[in-house]
């Protein structure tokens, strides 16, 4: 019954912006910590951004620090990823994940995943 539905991906020119959304249902939103991962062909799903378990802090992969912002709207049970200054290396399938623990970098620590949304950055 748990469902995470991602949206907002698409094709964007280098330097542009996208805002990804992850709408959660079938779970108690506040009982989970949230993160974003991305994956390209032949590679493992890699950490992009996440909230701490408390929700008071945010963490980012160094490659996106200063460009991406993770946020959430508890009333709407939705997690967002604002992506600015996109470049070709940001291309990939972006996944929203939910976990119930302190560790946030390893994808194996996440219990639920969305279907993914494709982000393609062109020059």
């Amino acid at each position: 019954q748990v469902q995470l539905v991602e949206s907002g991906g698409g094709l964007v020119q280098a330097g542009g912006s996208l805002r990804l959304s992850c709408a959660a249902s079938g779970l108690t939103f506040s009982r989970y910590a949230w993160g974003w991962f991305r994956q390209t062909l032949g590679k493992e799903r890699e950490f992009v951004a996440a909230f701490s378990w408390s929700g008071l802090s945010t963490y980012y992969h160094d490659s996106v620090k200063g460009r991406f912002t993770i946020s959430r709207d508890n009333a709407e049970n939705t997690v967002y990823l604002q992506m600015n200054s996109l470049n070709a290396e940001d291309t990939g399938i972006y996944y929203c994940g939910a976990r119930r623990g302190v560790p946030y970098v390893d994808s194996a620590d996440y219990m639920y995943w969305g279907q993914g949304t494709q982000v393609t950055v062109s020059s």
Side-chain angles (χ1 to χ4, degrees):
Q1 187 176 357
V2 173
Q3 189 173 24
L4 309 181
V5 180
E6 294 153 299
S7 61
L11 176 64
V12 64
Q13 290 184 326
S17 298
L18 286 172
R19 191 190 194 197
L20 307 183
S21 299
C22 173
S25 61
L27 52 74
T28 302
F29 188 78
S30 63
R31 296 292 191 269
Y32 292 84
W34 301 91
W36 288 93
F37 287 68
R38 66 188 178 191
Q39 188 170 24
T40 57
L41 183 63
K43 298 181 180 179
E44 294 183 345
R45 194 169 298 185
E46 67 177 0
F47 167 74
V48 175
F51 284 102
S52 66
W53 174 237
S54 69
L56 299 177
S57 301
T58 56
Y59 303 96
Y60 298 93
H61 190 274
D62 190 62
S63 66
V64 308
K65 185 179 180 181
R67 300 188 296 119
F68 290 11
T69 303
I70 186 172
S71 62
R72 66 183 187 270
D73 187 329
N74 292 335
E76 296 187 0
N77 295 341
T78 302
V79 186
Y80 302 97
L81 185 68
Q82 178 66 47
M83 305 186 295
N84 299 326
S85 301
L86 287 162
N87 56 58
E89 289 71 42
D90 297 317
T91 293
I93 303 174
Y94 282 71
Y95 297 89
C96 173
R99 70 181 202 275
R100 297 195 69 180
V102 172
Y104 59 87
V105 174
D106 192 342
S107 64
D109 290 321
Y110 289 75
M111 303 174 66
Y112 303 109
W113 295 98
Q115 80 286 355
T117 184
Q118 177 71 44
V119 172
T120 303
V121 184
S122 67
S123 60

